[in-house]
Amino acid sequence: QVQLVESGGGLVQPGGSLTLSCAGSGTGFRLIDNCICWFREVPGNQREPITCISSSIRADGLAYYRESVKGRFTISRVNSNDTVDLQMNGLKSEDTAVYYCATERVRFCSWPTERSVMHIWGTGTPVTVAS
């Protein structure tokens, strides 16, 4: 059974930084072989995609970003650990949400993407931006 697990959430002051990490498990499953996305959800709102990164194996490894996070957030692969990190800088109160990593089990990402095409989800990690 393939599972994703997020870590790294917490409380941070406005303007601060935080790095989230997504790890996977399951027989034969590797994050490096898959497009991995980060979504976030605020209670009462839809879960929205914020960034995705294509596989770097037999794919282009390209990253895509939601406009509101461009220049502040960076998605990257840590191949030694087979994780996908989300570096978040210049955090704002409106970035407060539960952050999820997800995959639709394909190599190339399609952007924009949507919640409905993701096959596997993590359980989420909360990020609170407040002073």
Side-chain angles (χ1 to χ4, degrees):
Q1 182 180 359
V2 175
Q3 293 182 320
L4 297 176
V5 178
E6 305 90 344
S7 61
L11 173 64
V12 61
Q13 292 187 342
S17 298
L18 207 59
T19 300
L20 307 182
S21 187
C22 176
S25 64
T27 302
F29 176 78
R30 301 187 306 173
L31 267 68
I32 198 172
D33 294 324
N34 292 276
C35 166
I36 303 297
C37 297
W38 284 94
F39 285 69
R40 65 185 179 189
E41 183 174 342
V42 176
N45 290 1
Q46 290 189 350
R47 191 172 298 185
E48 63 181 19
I50 53 175
T51 180
C52 295
I53 186 167
S54 290
S55 171
S56 53
I57 305 296
R58 287 186 281 149
D60 55 22
L62 292 179
Y64 305 88
Y65 297 92
R66 186 178 194 86
E67 197 63 36
S68 61
V69 306
K70 279 184 180 177
R72 299 190 298 125
F73 290 13
T74 303
I75 189 171
S76 63
R77 294 186 181 273
V78 182
N79 293 337
S80 58
N81 295 333
D82 195 29
T83 58
V84 173
D85 286 357
L86 178 63
Q87 173 70 42
M88 305 186 294
N89 299 325
L91 283 162
K92 307 174 182 179
S93 58
E94 52 262 43
D95 294 317
T96 295
V98 178
Y99 284 71
Y100 300 86
C101 64
T103 182
E104 61 176 301
R105 301 294 302 267
V106 296
R107 291 190 183 274
F108 285 90
C109 297
S110 297
W111 188 265
T113 190
E114 56 187 36
R115 177 179 184 174
S116 62
V117 304
M118 298 296 149
H119 294 168
I120 301 168
W121 291 90
T123 55
T125 186
V127 172
T128 302
V129 184
S131 54

